[in-house]
Amino acid sequence: MKLDAKIPKGPLAEKWENYRGTMNLVAPNNKRRIDIIVVGTGLAGASAAATLGELGYNVKVFCFHDSPRRAHSVAAQGGINAAKNYQNDGDSVYRLFYDTVKGGDYRSREANVHRLAEVSRNIIDQCVAQGVPFAREYGGLLANRSFGGVQVSRTFYARGQTGQQLLLGAYSALSRQIATGGVEMYNRHEMLDLVKVDGKARGIIARNLLTGKLERFAAHCVVLATGGYGNVFYLSTNAMGSNVTAAWRAYRRGAFFANPCYTQIHPTCIPVSGHYQSKLTLMSESLRNDGRVWVPKKKEDCKKDPLSIAEEDRDYYLERIYPAFGNLVPRDVASRAAKNVCDEGRGVGATGLAVYLDFASAIERYGKAAAHAEGIHNPSAEKIKELGRAEVKAKYGNLFHMYNKITDEDPYRTPMKIYPAVHYTMGGLWVDYNLETTVPGCFALGEANFSDHGANRLGASALMQGLADGYFVIPYTIGQFLSKEIRTPKIQNDSKEFMDAEQDVKSRIDKLLNIGGNQSVESFHRRLGKIMWDYCGMSRNAKGLEEARKMVQDLRKEFYSDVFVPGSNDEFNPELEKALRVADFLELGELMIVDAHDRNESCGGHFREEYKSPEGEAERNDADYTYVAAWEFKGMDADPALNKENLEFNDIELKTRSYK
Amino acid sequence: MKLTLKIWRQTNANDKGSFETYNLDNISTDMSFLEMLDVLNEQLVTEKKFPVSFEHDCREGICGACSMVINGQPHGPMKGTTTCQLHMRSFNDGDTIVIEPFRSRAFPVIRDLVVDRSAFDRIIQAGGYISVNTGQAQDGNAIPIEKDTALAAFDSATCIGCGACVAACPNASAMLFTSAKVSHLAKLPQGEVESTKRVLGMVNQMDQEGFGKCSNTGACEAECPKEISIENIALMNREYLKASISSDKMG
Amino acid sequence: MSWFTNFLLSSIGQKLIMSLTGLFLIVFLAVHLTGNLQLLYNDNGEAFNTYAYFMTSNLFIKITSIGLYTGILLHAIQGILIWRRNVAARGTGYKVKKASDASFSSRNMGWLGVIIAIFLALHLYQFWAKMHFGTMEMINYHGYDYAVKDLYSVVDHIYSNPVYVIIYVISMIVVGLHLWHGFQSAFQSLGLNHKKYTPLIKGLGMIYTIVVTLGFAIIPIYMYLN
């Protein structure tokens, strides 16, 4: 199938403006007659549902949580990028566009990224108007900080809780629409299938998690904003409930899945402490503004108290290898470097899988500045530390507090121990410029789609993309599809297609409940995660991927013969919910492996050991792999088919990414 | 470490419910409280029993899903900490831990430790927003907001909607939750415009949901995992009095 | 319903009534204590009895006292309504209760109120009812051209009974506990919570509570010992 990204003609900077001015619209009287289903209430879903409701469409919105406010966008810490150039440091829409494409290792679609950079400015305005309490300067104007992979300060933030504040903003807009009746909220409902009628997405099958009842919901189109699939690794910074099911079911109904192998491993997470570990906790990238990453130069120092290791025996490896960006290199680069030093045997901590993130020099620097500001001459070393700690506390207090709670160590005195962990998935449902998948009428927003981050996402860009898609893109582009649907009467939910889909879901559930094996869902999930991490994690090679594919297939077989799911369908049954999600992860995992195997190059979050420079840096193959790999489901017994969308770069020169 | 757990088990809203006792061995002090429950559940599943249902999601202390009363305290003994961020090092070997759901008429039990907190959503729907449609906003820097004001608004806005305030309050009152949103928006110039309508609507909804009435005990702020102050309640009282007396609304 | 009843029946409206009536009663207690301290004069009850006469005959005081009765009633009725609602709002209680978060007073305002109400019934029966409706010895003091009721002797008689002395002292402690939370709570309900002034209000509340409790408690003890 030929993939048509529907990128508007014209110069890059004018595409969106011109497109918006000429695209098809739906008149207000017709909007009232059109039903839209939105699945997911994170930044993308909540903002889309609210905005579509404001426009007058009838919106039904679904989340599996007890409340839309719990979506995992809430946990984003660091901030949101926008090309406001409030700091007068040379930022512009083009620079944000450029940084994002470069950060994504030239594997994203130019037109989408440029649009993202354009609307980034509107997002900040919108959020401020909603009452999001962004950090401010003394003059009352908005404050910024810098993030990895860029040389300007364009990140807006609300302490270490930016995601929470933005989500609460979108949630409040959504709540307002629910109150007016424009949006109907279905919480504790999990989408388990997409329903197609005459080739178009016309509804979903959702399970009411309180009663177990399967319910059929019909609409003129379906918008999926269901997040990423990082939990395929079992251990990740995702929430426990984050899952791929909605996107996966759309894939099985004909939506292509793009670049599934692009996963982001975040460099600064709290290391694993035991086999019981259920999730990993991120320490915001903003810490790398002030923290210095190091490991001992000598292996024998690794078990020593870090404070006893002399300065000359420490290897500040990021500063050494990447002097231009130092500790602020992009995430994929920082993660790989950490893995490399640990592989060399220079990792620290009980497991040897950790590096230090040290604030001693920041504390000293801030302490001296504060002493100077307070007019203290010749301050003692202790006084400097005391003042410095206070400054660091003001900036990162909540993160330090969280670190202390989890590890029982005091990061103001001893360096933090950190290690990379799965954080975000750049891959997702393939969408065109309108954010429409290959199933007409089925749209994908936010992390659930693949579009904007290429092979690696820059910090503070996920929030930007989720809100851009929801507030400022889908409300327009959905009109391209719906303007052709104004004569379509209300979709009925009792057609054969709906009944069949419901039956399909029912058989899936019955199948799981009837296996009656001996192993818990959790144990399968943990094993799948281990395979994925070992063979399709931070670095991959062809041989390992081939083995891993077999292992996942075997694990899936074992799952369907020996899993035990307690209880029945007709009750509140979290274990059944988990089983359905893990079943889909077991299929997705294989597709990720297939995709990683297909891509014979190293780019962004995808690092193939066979393709690296003599210094160990990732080596792209632009001649053969400047494409989006969009996978098409061909049935469980057949290999998925690869469809390529060739990426064209007209406004940016493809270069080897260098942060040196 | 070894632990004895007494956990409230209740199959559904109509079930009477009772406490069940479980013994756990080999619990590491580095585990989080929820990971300890994971271990219990894994054990129950191996015994082909129905695991203990409890709400949880982000496990980073920010989504507000986790909700249980541990030895008489919502979110357990550690100040300013959600259950998911509580670690077993806060307990001793041989401890008996009693785990109950949040108790409030307005939060009916769904199963075991899972309760229905949708009343909170309805309170927000009754006015916890600023009426601005997408695209209507002016430039973000058009209204300067004093740094301290922005920080104060942030402190109120940091509420995670977990419901510990209701669970802790001897009166099962939702004043801290409601007031946190009222004051977040009232403190900001953008929110001031609608403040009358907002506070009347939200308080009215709160009353209809069947929460108790605040008697200023301060138990809520002591247990709030985000340490939200009851100054917010005073501010809401003020806003409400002002709104009731000065607004043109007659009904 | 009109906005006014809506307002008064809302949870914050009810708090406002509790707060305002409470503050009114706080003022009353201060006045009441000032008057009663005259019992401590060794003047055969002259100061106290003439004060009591003034309090029962002055028109302004009479009108005010109607306000006082209404205040007490409103405070009690409202308190009961809130208490009932709050018990219902909890539903099933907790097996383990950890009490330290809120002060003893704040958690037990309802029970303290009930004890105070019972005490009040006794107190009113013993003095107020007798003064207003009962018969009492009349006494003539030098410099007055009319006789006044000898309430002082009635008080003196009752406080010669150690059982009553104990009841009164305990009741005063209960009143003190009620005030301990009530004083500052009234300000919080009115929305008067401020980083700068709230510590002052709390401090004032504590001083007030201690003075009022001790002041009232000393009277029966002193009179019993004399």
Side-chain angles (χ1 to χ4, degrees), chain A residues 51 54 65-70 72 74-75 77 84 86 125-126 128-131 133-134 136-142 158-159 161 164-165 168 171-172 175-176 178-179 187-188 210 237 239-241 273 276-281 402 404-408 471-472 516-518 520 522-523 526 564 566-567 571-575, chain B residues 11 28 30-31 35 38-39 42 45-46 48-51 53 55-60 62-65 78 80-81 85 87 89 110-111 114-118 120-121 124-125 128-141 143-147 150-151 153-155 157-162 177 181 184-185 188 190:
Chain A
T51 307
E54 286 162 10
H65 292 100
D66 68 322
S67 162
R69 66 182 294 157
R70 313 247 188 258
H72 197 52
V74 81
Q77 297 170 352
K84 281 286 199 184
Y86 282 158
D125 302 341
Q126 185 64 29
V128 168
Q130 286 170 345
F134 283 121
R136 293 193 177 248
E137 309 285 2
Y138 281 107
L141 303 177
L142 292 159
R159 275 195 212 149
Q161 290 160 241
Q164 182 203 24
Q165 294 308 315
L168 291 180
Y171 162 75
S172 71
S175 296
R176 174 171 160 245
I178 295 171
N187 52 359
R188 294 197 195 271
L210 289 178
T237 64
M240 302 303 285
S273 69
Y276 48 79
Q277 189 112 14
S278 61
K279 81 151 276 158
L280 296 170
T281 304
M402 184 149 81
N404 171 257
K405 267 192 235 170
I406 293 172
T407 63
D408 207 21
Y471 282 133
F472 295 106
N518 292 307
S520 68
E522 199 77 13
S523 66
R526 205 177 281 133
F564 173 69
E571 59 184 327
F572 181 76
N573 189 346
E575 207 65 17
Chain B
T11 319
S28 152
D30 284 335
M31 276 184 191
E35 283 166 352
D38 289 342
V39 171
E42 188 103 25
V45 173
T46 348
K48 312 247 154 159
K49 288 180 184 150
F50 202 94
S53 299
E55 203 123 44
H56 64 110
D57 198 34
C58 78
R59 298 206 176 186
E60 297 180 19
I62 195 74
C63 76
M78 206 165 179
T81 305
Q85 296 267 284
H87 281 70
R89 63 181 79 93
I110 289 169
R111 179 161 206 159
V114 178
V115 297
D116 178 1
R117 287 169 287 182
S118 51
F120 273 9
D121 284 333
I124 298 294
Q125 284 155 23
Y129 47 76
I130 291 172
S131 298
V132 51
N133 280 357
T134 302
Q136 291 179 329
Q138 56 185 336
D139 187 85
N141 261 346
I143 313 171
I145 299 170
E146 201 191 348
K147 185 175 182 166
L151 283 176
F154 177 90
D155 284 338
T158 191
C159 168
I160 56 174
C162 66
F177 168 80
K181 186 49 65 186
H184 157 214
L185 297 175
L188 294 171
Q190 305 94 300

Side-chain angles (χ1 to χ4, degrees), chain A residues 49 80 93 317 599 649:
Chain A
I80 177 166
V93 167
Y317 59 90
R599 191 165 284 277
F649 292 92

Side-chain angles (χ1 to χ4, degrees), chain A residues 235-469:
Chain A
L235 286 182
S236 78
T237 64
N238 284 189
M240 302 303 285
S242 302
N243 68 83
V244 76
T245 291
W248 193 251
R249 290 292 139 188
Y251 165 71
R252 292 187 51 134
R253 294 281 177 194
F256 292 0
F257 209 107
N259 301 335
C261 79
Y262 291 160
T263 43
Q264 176 161 83
I265 317 282
H266 196 292
T268 50
C269 299
I270 299 177
V272 175
S273 69
H275 69 279
Y276 48 79
Q277 189 112 14
S278 61
K279 81 151 276 158
L280 296 170
T281 304
L282 180 79
M283 288 283 106
S284 167
E285 180 164 327
S286 59
L287 291 175
R288 284 198 279 143
N289 272 312
D290 283 313
R292 297 177 73 196
V293 180
W294 64 275
V295 289
K297 279 185 181 160
K298 292 178 282 196
K299 283 183 195 175
E300 54 272 27
D301 285 350
C302 289
K303 299 284 171 213
K304 282 190 189 160
D305 174 10
L307 298 178
S308 73
I309 299 173
E311 200 60 32
E312 61 270 20
D313 291 329
R314 300 176 176 191
D315 179 12
Y316 294 91
Y317 59 90
L318 287 177
E319 296 168 28
R320 174 172 57 82
I321 310 172
Y322 308 102
F325 281 69
N327 293 297
L328 280 174
V329 291
R331 292 174 175 177
D332 54 336
V333 178
S335 291
R336 252 192 318 275
K339 181 182 187 311
N340 289 341
V341 293
C342 290
D343 287 351
E344 287 167 22
R346 293 194 287 141
V348 298
T351 56
L353 290 177
V355 298
Y356 291 123
L357 179 62
D358 198 336
F359 291 86
S361 42
I363 286 172
E364 186 166 328
R365 188 173 76 243
Y366 285 131
K368 279 185 181 153
H372 183 80
E374 286 180 21
I376 305 171
H377 301 292
N378 303 320
S380 68
E382 217 17 73
K383 184 73 191 167
I384 290 175
K385 276 187 189 163
E386 182 197 319
L387 293 169
R389 280 180 196 132
E391 290 286 314
V392 167
K393 188 173 182 184
K395 281 186 116 161
Y396 309 112
N398 64 330
L399 297 169
F400 276 51
H401 187 53
M402 184 149 81
Y403 183 86
N404 171 257
K405 267 192 235 170
I406 293 172
T407 63
D408 207 21
E409 284 177 12
D410 179 3
Y412 291 103
R413 280 156 222 282
T414 55
M416 283 186 182
K417 287 198 269 295
I418 52 156
Y419 197 66
V422 176
H423 180 56
Y424 185 88
T425 50
M426 281 73 68
L429 292 174
W430 185 89
V431 290
D432 62 17
Y433 192 71
N434 293 328
L435 304 182
E436 191 171 9
T437 67
T438 48
V439 173
C442 176
F443 296 81
L445 318 182
E447 194 180 349
N449 73 27
F450 87 104
S451 68
D452 295 351
H453 306 298
N456 174 58
R457 180 176 65 74
L458 290 181
S461 284
L463 303 184
M464 171 172 69
Q465 188 219 340
L467 290 181
D469 287 359

